[in-house]
């Protein structure tokens, strides 16, 4: 970054080249001082004129001023004679700036009140142009830590609800046209991206957040709680293009939406998912599978048959199917451990794992890993013996045709989690493996030994601790590595020789084992 007169100039570097030869170019920041002598209506005219006259790729002086002087921009707009019906692009830029954390956190209540009042008065071209930025600003006033948002929210709850409905009148506006952009059964991610970036979707989320705040702070937000039915009715009645976006955000937060907006959630999400196999309904399920949070026991029980059906039929996206299988697996593990009364029986889950995709089975293996990782290290051996081992004996799909190198990679990392039960884990897992490429022996034992936190927040044991732990259970460790590599590996792990040397130093008898000798010969190829 080099400094130029009056603005920052960004040079194109090699780092700006992305895959496919795409160039990323930054537009130079404009010079806000060009408007230093402008005030009131003259400032609005000057800012809009500068925006209209800017060349493509040229410095955006107006945007620089709005960013640096949002309060002056607001004062100028409020002074304009047609303040609330025109100047949509300037309002849009300003509201995006005012929604940024630094302004929201430091702005006094009185200033926020002025912005809220202005949004409530926007109309015509101004409202149409600013709808997304206005909704985002409102979201920042509702969503956040209680100590940050509750004071303003409780003082202005009536006004906030009226502004919400004012924005809904535009975002949920009926066009008497069918919904646009057909979404396939496997396009939950695409629908979520659109809903997250649409005014209708974001406003639905704000409505949910507002009612959730009222539920958790009833004394401070009593007026908001009393408006719950009115907000829900507005959401229930949405039609046309906005309907999929609204349904998407309800599906994302189904566990909360079913409590706060039961009619809307039933009408737009749960009813379609449970009663229809249309692409629209399956797309909502795909979205919920990928982005939804945990389910209450009641919701899980209702959706379980649908999740089983779609896990087997593979009509959703690969990610969606994987998340469904993972959810079913976790609940089955809880049921085996006695912490949940609901969940699939072992024969039912085995049927799912036999008919789902390989990615679904990989998700099941990862779920077992994560379920065990969630237990304290000293409890994992018991968790394995009482639940994990039973899961593989009663629930896993043993069909040889369903094994794959990719699935084996996921299964092979489970035993290292188990502490004292490592040997037992290897005995259970090795028969389920087929050979796969191992580039780094230590990746099989990432969770071996006492864990330490890395800079990225992950918890792994150091290399020396992992190898010391492998030496203490050398026969099982060699058995696992031997099964992973197979008799004729195409790739020899780069650290195999070093790993074997360390293993021998920790356990001298290992070097006499035929499996050890075979592995050692691989390093001499």
């Amino acid at each position: 970054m080099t400094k130029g007169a009056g603005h920052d100039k960004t040079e194109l570097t090699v780092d700006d080249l992305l895959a496919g030869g795409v160039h990323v170019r930054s537009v130079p920041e404009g010079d806000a001082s060009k408007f230093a002598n402008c005030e009131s209506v003259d400032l609005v005219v000057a800012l809009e004129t500068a925006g209209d006259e800017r060349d493509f790729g040229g410095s955006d002086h107006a945007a620089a001023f709005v960013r640096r002087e949002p309060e002056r921009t607001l004062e100028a707009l409020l002074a304009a004679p047609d303040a609330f019906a025109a100047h949509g692009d300037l309002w849009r830029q300003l509201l995006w700036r005012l929604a940024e954390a630094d302004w929201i956190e430091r702005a006094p209540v009185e200033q926020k009140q002025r912005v809220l009042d202005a949004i409530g008065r926007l109309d015509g071209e101004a409202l149409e142009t600013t709808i997304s930025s206005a909704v985002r600003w409102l979201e920042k006033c509702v969503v956040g830590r209680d100590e940050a948002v509750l004071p303003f929210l409780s003082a202005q709850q009536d006004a906030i609800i009226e502004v919400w409905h004012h924005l809904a009148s535009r975002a949920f506006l009926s066009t008497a046209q069918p919904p646009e952009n057909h979404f396939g059964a496997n396009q939950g991610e695409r629908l979520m991206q659109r809903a997250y970036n649409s005014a209708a979707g974001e406003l639905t989320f704000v409505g949910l957040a507002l009612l959730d705040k009222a539920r958790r702070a009833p004394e401070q937000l009593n007026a908001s709680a009393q408006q719950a039915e009115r907000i829900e009715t507005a959401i229930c009645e949405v039609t046309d293009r906005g309907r999929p976006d609204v349904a998407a955000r309800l599906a994302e937060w189904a566990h909360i939406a079913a409590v706060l907006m039961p009619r809307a959630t039933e009408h737009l999400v749960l009813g379609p998912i449970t009663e229809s196999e249309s692409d629209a309904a399956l797309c909502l399920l795909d979205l919920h599978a990928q982005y939804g949070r945990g389910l209450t026991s009641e919701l899980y029980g209702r959706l379980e048959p649908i999740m089983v059906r779609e896990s087997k039929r593979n009509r959703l996206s690969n990610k969606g199917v994987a998340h469904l299988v993972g959810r079913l697996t976790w609940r089955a593990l809880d049921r085996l451990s006695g912490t949940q009364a609901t969940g699939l029986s072992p024969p039912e889950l085995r049927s799912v794992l036999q008919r789902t995709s390989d990615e679904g089975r990989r998700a099941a293996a990862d779920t077992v890993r994560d379920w065990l990782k969630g237990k304290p290290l000293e409890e994992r051996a018991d968790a394995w013996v009482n639940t994990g081992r039973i899961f593989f004996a009663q629930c896993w799909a043993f069909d040889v045709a369903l094994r794959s190198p990719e699935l084996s990679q996921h299964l092979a990392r489970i035993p290292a989690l188990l502490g004292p039960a490592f040997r037992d884990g290897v005995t259970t897992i090795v028969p389920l493996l087929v050979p796969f490429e191992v580039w780094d022996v230590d990746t099989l034992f990432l969770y071996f030994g006492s864990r330490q936190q890395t800079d990225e927040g992950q918890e792994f044991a150091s290399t020396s601790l992992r190898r010391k732990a492998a030496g203490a259970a050398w026969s099982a460790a060699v058995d696992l590595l031997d099964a992973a590599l197979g008799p004729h590996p195409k790739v020899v792990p780069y650290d195999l020789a070093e790993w074997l040397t360390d293993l021998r130093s920790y356990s001298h008898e290992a070097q006499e084992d035929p499996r050890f000798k075979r592995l050692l010969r691989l390093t001499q190829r």
Side-chain angles (χ1 to χ4, degrees), residues 293-465:
R293 275 60 175 179
L295 294 174
T296 63
S297 294
E298 180 182 355
L299 270 182
Y300 175 86
R302 184 172 177 186
L303 293 180
E304 184 184 73
I306 315 301
M307 293 192 289
V308 169
R309 183 193 73 203
E310 295 308 320
S311 294
K312 293 178 178 180
R313 297 186 67 177
N314 293 305
R315 294 185 290 184
L316 308 185
S317 66
N318 289 335
K319 288 181 181 179
V321 170
H323 280 280
L324 291 183
V325 175
R327 186 173 289 176
L328 293 169
T329 299
W330 191 286
R331 188 61 66 114
L333 287 165
D334 281 347
R335 178 177 174 179
L336 284 173
S337 69
T339 58
Q340 278 282 357
T342 59
L344 296 181
S345 67
E348 289 171 332
L349 184 56
R350 176 173 286 173
S351 175
V352 169
L353 296 179
Q354 286 173 329
R355 296 176 60 182
T356 194
S357 62
D358 192 67
E359 190 161 354
R361 283 183 285 275
R362 296 200 298 269
D366 288 346
T367 300
V368 175
R369 177 202 66 199
D370 293 342
W371 189 88
L372 290 166
K373 274 180 65 178
K375 307 296 181 185
L377 190 59
E378 63 273 13
E379 296 178 14
R380 286 188 195 160
D382 287 341
W384 169 258
V385 171
N386 296 325
T387 303
R389 184 170 61 185
I390 296 172
F391 172 88
F392 282 104
Q394 298 182 6
C395 303
W396 196 253
F398 291 110
D399 314 56
V400 174
L402 300 180
R403 299 174 189 177
S404 72
E406 295 78 15
L407 175 58
S408 295
Q409 289 185 56
H410 291 250
L411 290 168
R413 291 182 174 87
I414 293 175
L417 282 167
L418 306 178
F422 171 72
R423 295 178 180 85
D424 189 80
V426 169
T427 300
T428 299
I429 295 298
V430 161
L432 308 179
L433 304 182
V434 296
F436 57 91
E437 291 185 352
V438 180
W439 296 86
D440 178 351
V441 175
D442 280 319
T443 59
L444 291 177
F445 306 104
L446 283 178
Y447 304 105
F448 236 159
S450 300
R451 295 174 294 165
Q452 297 175 347
Q453 193 164 29
T454 67
D455 292 340
E456 292 76 24
Q458 297 173 304
E459 291 188 343
F460 299 127
S462 66
T463 298
S464 60
L465 287 174

Side-chain angles (χ1 to χ4, degrees), residues 71-325:
E71 289 84 4
R72 282 182 61 192
T73 307
L74 177 62
E75 292 292 340
L77 277 169
L78 293 177
D82 52 354
F84 304 111
H87 316 296
D89 192 59
L90 194 53
W91 273 114
R92 178 183 57 80
Q93 291 184 62
L94 175 62
L95 289 174
W96 280 122
R97 174 65 183 93
L98 299 181
E100 293 182 7
D102 67 314
W103 193 90
I104 286 288
E105 290 172 1
R106 65 178 173 79
V109 171
E110 296 76 14
Q111 194 75 308
K112 290 182 181 178
Q113 288 174 343
R114 299 184 75 195
V115 177
L116 184 66
D117 177 68
I119 292 175
R121 298 171 66 185
L122 291 175
D123 196 10
E125 177 263 338
L127 179 58
E128 183 174 354
T129 304
T130 63
I131 183 71
S132 293
S133 55
V135 171
R136 185 55 58 92
W137 185 87
L138 188 64
E139 177 191 332
K140 297 300 181 181
C141 293
V142 173
V143 179
R145 302 186 312 275
D146 286 351
E147 61 269 23
V149 301
L150 268 181
F152 180 69
L153 187 55
S154 60
Q156 299 294 319
Q157 54 187 307
D158 289 331
I160 286 174
I161 289 171
E162 291 309 314
V163 168
W164 186 93
H165 283 284
H166 177 62
L167 296 175
S169 69
R170 177 64 205 176
F172 298 163
L173 182 66
S174 175
T175 62
Q177 304 249 342
E180 300 175 8
N181 294 342
H182 175 75
F183 291 90
N186 62 351
Q187 293 184 314
E189 184 173 7
R190 176 172 164 250
L191 175 57
M192 185 64 198
Q193 289 173 350
R194 196 186 82 168
Y196 186 79
N197 290 289
S198 76
E202 279 296 275
L203 201 58
T204 301
F205 172 67
V206 174
L208 276 172
L210 183 58
L211 297 187
D212 186 51
K213 290 285 187 186
R215 176 175 63 97
R216 291 188 290 106
E219 293 184 4
Q220 294 164 279
L221 299 176
N222 181 56
S224 298
Q226 292 178 1
Q227 292 292 322
E229 185 174 353
R230 184 180 168 207
I231 292 175
E232 182 176 17
T233 298
I235 288 176
C236 272
E237 294 176 352
V238 68
T239 59
D240 305 337
R241 177 183 168 86
R243 184 185 177 100
D245 299 336
V246 169
R249 300 312 298 271
L250 293 177
E252 177 193 6
W253 297 95
H255 66 301
I256 292 291
V259 175
L260 300 176
M261 300 183 183
R263 289 187 297 114
T265 307
E266 181 65 33
H267 176 55
L268 296 171
V269 180
L270 296 178
I273 286 178
T274 56
E275 297 169 10
S276 172
E277 295 185 37
S278 67
D279 280 354
L282 292 175
C283 185
L284 277 178
L285 178 63
D286 189 51
L287 182 151
H288 172 72
Q290 294 185 65
Y291 297 97
R293 275 60 175 179
L295 294 174
T296 63
S297 294
E298 180 182 355
L299 270 182
Y300 175 86
R302 184 172 177 186
L303 293 180
E304 184 184 73
I306 315 301
M307 293 192 289
V308 169
R309 183 193 73 203
E310 295 308 320
S311 294
K312 293 178 178 180
R313 297 186 67 177
N314 293 305
R315 294 185 290 184
L316 308 185
S317 66
N318 289 335
K319 288 181 181 179
V321 170
H323 280 280
L324 291 183
V325 175

